[in-house]
Amino acid sequence: MTEPKATDLSAIALATAETPSGAAATAPLPPAGVWLAHWILLAASCNIAGWGLSLIRSVTPVGLFISIPLVWALLALLVRLPLPRFALPSIVRNIRQRRWLPLSFLLIALLALLGGLLHPPNNYDALNYRMPRLAYWLMERRWEWIPANFDILNTRSAGFEWLMAPVIALSRSDSPLFLINLICFLFLPGLAFGIFHGMGVAGRVARAWMWLLPSGYCFALQAGSIGNDLPAAMFAMAAFDFGFRWRKSGSFTCFALAVFSAGLMTAIKPTTLPLMLPFTVLFIGMWKPLVARPARSMILAGLAALASFLPSAIINHRQCGDWTGAAAENPSWGPVEPLQGIVVNLINAPIQNLAPPVFPLAGLWNRWFPSLFPESFMASLAKSFEGSAARFGLSDIQGEEWAGIGLGITALWLGSIISAIIIRKRQTPRSADTSPSARGRQAVILALLFGTALLAYFAKTGMNTVARHIAPYYPFLLAIPLIAPAHSALVRSKLWNLAAMAAVASTMVMMVITPSRPLWPANTVLPALAASHPTPALVRAADGYHTYSQRADVLGILRDALPPDARTVGWVSFAAGPELPLWKPYLQRKVRHVRPGDSLETLLKQGIRHVVLNTKYFEDNMGHTPEQWLDRNHATILKRESIRVVVKEPASEWWVVELPAAR
């Protein structure tokens, strides 16, 4: 079967198009596709095993070690997936041909590997709720709605946690966790090419941008991290890549892999749910394999549902009446008004992506830009948007918690669009027919589908870091303008290649200087510079890098103050502060949230003799001062420490408290 021309690919909008059959339907996947397919099934197996073992309270090292390979093998059998075989990776062949784009991708991957090996995981969200709740489930041997002061521990999707579960359970360490993201990162170029080409981008253009997309900050900075935006984006790309493969071949294997990938993207980040609109429209003919193989399809559908956001949505609805969980997470904020959400996020997303990698003028921007809007408008935003989002704030340095696709790729993409328009105008005579081409119609259809999906997400979110949260959308949004034929000539020009080099170089620089995993002696150089030249910028930089370097075990000094036999520890914190250090070493200690209504008898019945508490916001939430709480519970302070957890916030006082023995 010959490959369709790019202009013929506008047929993707024809939802009822027939799929091929016969020899094409059994066309084997290339070696890289088989490895990707097994990675998808392994991730699905972790999710299926996690939820399944929770039903019988067997989320244990032995249970995970036995069940995950069994489910993996079953899925591979059901989808007719062969064993992977080793072959020379295409990136090696490209490097041998001295192509700089594949070489730059390899260098970024090596920088990510080096950062992951040298630094412990310190992603803020992971330390604050993703890994602590996973540690809780492992100790309880099942998923459980945690009695906590913050329901974010319960309402967020569990897809990425189930991927981490076997690593922590079997190794008792979180150091290898970054390999999950690194593996996802290595699959990005091939997936990007499949998506770009499937959406109608010319082969030459797709081969150039497939290497550039992974250099987006949100992908490269998370390649050595445990942030979940990169994995969500990878599985979203895989869903559409295998969808396009299915449209071309009619392969049941590609159909099943597309469905599992779509489920996994929602399990890891429900922010990808709007992408199901273009997925459904473009691949609506997927009902045909269901009819052709009903028994197998029903089994796969049930397993794919377990590997999606559906279990979390059902639990959220039962526990808080809101399948998204937002009602339980932010009771002090009202819902985002759709029109307001679209407007605010259409401002925040571009400015966050166009912000310089290092932005010393961030403070000036954060004071000036909000002043351009009416005070009444800004006041209304504060009711439903997080603080920085409500004031269009920017950070002074890009990091994995903030970064979107980044200035380098954004500027290159915008410049490419403008250049393509200029090239087209120069090449098209004024008297030529200006009726829309097949490519143009295709681009419009795709823009409507993916644009609607993005706006649907914008209409509901009030998050600070919207540019990072839409990481799964970037591959599709970038591809749509690249459909224009002029890009084929553009990517061959020296000027474009120089601009692409600059974009990639900015990413490499960010990977070296990122506070999360610096690859230079920041904590030696900056304090010395700040001591000799105590300017505000140098002092802040030194404090920032020091805070990041301590983040992974910032409360370790409090953990070390606990007696060795403290197997259940109370936790009271209403400010920023990761409880994860108290869970270490893994599978040896439980951490239980002390809630406002808990009495001394309740705590002692739970086996809590020691409590770690943060005095900040304590009185506002507990109804009395920390000192009054000590008196009521006849407790004594074993250790006091002033600890700074977040760069932008001052240090707060932490106590390790001992409760009296049960009478």
Side-chain angles (χ1 to χ4, degrees):
M1 178 178 177
T2 59
E3 182 178 341
K5 298 179 181 179
T7 52
D8 294 333
L9 291 174
S10 59
I12 61 175
L14 302 177
T16 59
E18 293 293 333
T19 57
S21 59
T26 59
L29 292 173
V34 176
W35 283 102
L36 171 62
H38 276 285
W39 178 244
I40 292 167
L41 296 188
L42 174 60
S45 301
C46 291
N47 277 261
I48 295 167
W51 290 115
L53 292 174
S54 291
L55 296 176
I56 56 175
R57 202 164 192 151
S58 296
V59 181
T60 63
V62 174
L64 293 168
F65 180 76
I66 294 175
S67 62
I68 291 175
L70 289 177
V71 176
W72 185 4
L74 173 63
L75 294 180
L77 181 64
L78 288 172
V79 304
R80 295 182 176 178
L81 185 65
L83 292 175
R85 61 184 178 88
F86 290 95
L88 185 66
S90 61
I91 186 173
V92 176
R93 295 194 295 270
N94 278 279
I95 291 173
R96 285 181 175 179
Q97 297 172 10
R98 299 181 181 180
R99 295 177 178 174
W100 74 268
L101 278 170
L103 179 60
S104 68
F105 171 78
L106 179 61
L107 291 175
I108 290 174
L110 291 175
L111 289 174
L113 174 63
L114 185 60
L117 291 173
L118 294 178
H119 299 280
N122 59 14
N123 181 270
Y124 187 78
D125 287 346
L127 295 180
N128 275 274
Y129 68 90
R130 293 196 177 278
M131 293 173 68
R133 67 177 185 167
L134 175 57
Y136 185 101
W137 301 340
L138 289 173
M139 289 298 290
E140 293 297 322
R141 299 186 172 189
R142 65 175 181 181
W143 182 97
E144 186 173 300
W145 188 276
I146 302 170
N149 292 314
F150 297 104
D151 274 330
I152 194 173
L153 281 166
N154 299 306
T155 55
R156 295 296 174 92
S157 56
F160 194 60
E161 283 77 343
W162 289 132
L163 266 70
M164 295 190 290
V167 178
I168 292 180
L170 297 175
S171 70
R172 307 295 177 95
S173 171
D174 51 32
S175 296
L177 289 177
F178 80 95
L179 294 174
I180 297 173
N181 279 27
L182 185 60
I183 293 172
C184 291
F185 181 78
L186 295 176
F187 283 121
L188 291 187
L191 287 171
F193 179 82
I195 288 173
F196 292 162
H197 203 49
M199 292 175 66
V201 177
R204 183 185 297 274
V205 181
R207 281 190 291 273
W209 278 93
M210 66 183 278
W211 302 109
L212 289 170
L213 175 71
S215 64
Y217 296 165
C218 55
F219 304 128
L221 292 178
Q222 288 194 23
S225 167
I226 55 173
N228 64 350
D229 304 277
L230 168 58
M234 191 230 83
F235 286 111
M237 295 169 69
F240 283 84
D241 178 50
F242 280 107
F244 287 127
R245 290 175 186 267
W246 167 80
R247 288 196 60 85
K248 183 178 177 181
S249 69
S251 167
F252 184 84
T253 300
C254 293
F255 153 75
L257 291 170
V259 172
F260 273 105
S261 298
L264 284 165
M265 77 176 182
T266 66
I268 293 175
K269 285 194 81 72
T271 55
T272 60
L273 281 168
L275 286 175
M276 292 303 296
L277 169 65
F279 182 84
T280 302
V281 173
L282 294 178
F283 312 124
I284 196 170
M286 281 187 173
W287 59 268
K288 296 175 183 177
L290 294 173
V291 175
R293 298 176 177 86
R296 180 182 299 178
S297 297
M298 289 181 64
I299 295 174
L300 286 174
L303 294 173
L306 281 177
S308 73
F309 179 61
L310 183 61
S312 295
I314 294 173
I315 293 170
N316 286 342
H317 180 72
R318 292 185 60 184
Q319 293 287 342
C320 60
D322 177 9
W323 65 271
T324 69
E329 286 183 20
N330 303 316
S332 60
W333 286 331
V336 175
E337 293 293 332
L339 181 59
Q340 194 175 71
I342 291 173
V343 171
V344 172
N345 288 307
L346 281 176
I347 298 173
N348 271 323
I351 64 175
Q352 289 176 15
N353 276 313
L354 290 171
V358 179
F359 191 26
L361 301 179
L364 180 62
W365 166 277
N366 294 338
R367 291 189 297 271
W368 167 75
F369 192 71
S371 67
L372 301 179
F373 300 89
E375 292 185 5
S376 58
F377 175 70
M378 299 303 296
S380 67
L381 299 188
K383 298 177 182 178
S384 52
F385 288 83
E386 292 182 346
S388 183
R391 300 191 61 79
F392 309 106
L394 293 176
S395 176
D396 50 8
I397 185 170
Q398 293 289 326
E400 65 182 65
E401 288 96 350
W402 279 89
I405 198 74
L407 176 61
I409 296 299
T410 301
L412 179 66
W413 180 65
L414 293 174
S416 297
I417 295 172
I418 295 171
S419 300
I421 294 173
I422 294 173
I423 292 173
R424 182 179 181 275
K425 287 185 176 180
R426 288 178 177 176
Q427 292 179 344
T428 304
R430 293 184 179 180
S431 59
D433 181 18
T434 58
S435 60
S437 64
R439 284 180 182 267
R441 291 192 298 270
Q442 178 177 313
V444 169
I445 293 170
L446 292 171
L448 287 173
L449 290 174
F450 288 101
T452 301
L454 182 65
L455 293 179
Y457 173 64
F458 280 173
K460 300 297 292 182
T461 185
M463 305 293 286
N464 282 333
T465 54
V466 63
R468 170 177 65 85
H469 283 286
I470 61 173
Y473 293 78
Y474 289 127
F476 311 101
L477 299 177
L478 262 62
I480 295 169
L482 299 180
I483 296 173
H487 287 280
S488 294
L490 185 62
V491 297
R492 293 196 297 266
S493 69
K494 291 184 178 180
L495 183 59
W496 184 90
N497 276 269
L498 288 174
M501 288 181 184
V504 174
S506 74
T507 300
M508 292 183 180
V509 170
M510 286 307 306
M511 297 190 71
V512 172
I513 69 172
T514 179
S516 296
R517 290 172 302 283
L519 299 178
W520 67 292
N523 288 306
T524 300
V525 174
L526 286 175
L529 289 176
S532 58
H533 302 85
T535 63
L538 281 175
V539 171
R540 175 171 170 77
D543 288 345
Y545 275 93
H546 175 74
T547 302
Y548 267 99
S549 68
Q550 303 296 317
R551 178 187 281 181
D553 199 38
V554 67
L555 302 184
I557 192 171
L558 303 179
R559 176 195 63 228
D560 295 341
L562 295 168
D565 61 346
R567 297 304 179 192
T568 303
V569 177
W571 167 261
V572 188
S573 177
F574 298 96
E579 65 179 82
L580 184 66
L582 303 182
W583 285 96
K584 298 180 179 180
Y586 289 110
L587 301 179
Q588 294 188 23
R589 180 186 296 118
K590 297 180 181 180
V591 179
R592 296 291 182 268
H593 284 222
V594 177
R595 309 176 81 179
D598 289 343
S599 64
L600 176 60
E601 291 74 16
T602 300
L603 300 180
L604 294 177
K605 286 181 180 179
Q606 294 178 359
I608 298 175
R609 283 287 316 283
H610 298 85
V611 177
V612 174
L613 65 86
N614 186 356
T615 60
K616 189 175 183 179
Y617 305 135
F618 187 98
E619 184 175 2
D620 296 338
N621 291 276
M622 297 291 283
H624 39 257
T625 66
E627 292 79 7
Q628 291 172 333
W629 186 85
L630 290 181
D631 291 339
R632 290 184 180 186
N633 294 288
H634 311 290
T636 57
I637 299 176
L638 298 182
K639 190 174 186 64
R640 295 174 183 256
E641 282 291 336
S642 181
I643 300 176
R644 187 179 187 180
V645 177
V646 180
V647 178
K648 295 181 179 180
E649 298 181 6
S652 58
E653 189 169 336
W654 294 76
W655 298 350
V656 177
V657 173
E658 184 176 49
L659 300 176
R663 299 177 182 177

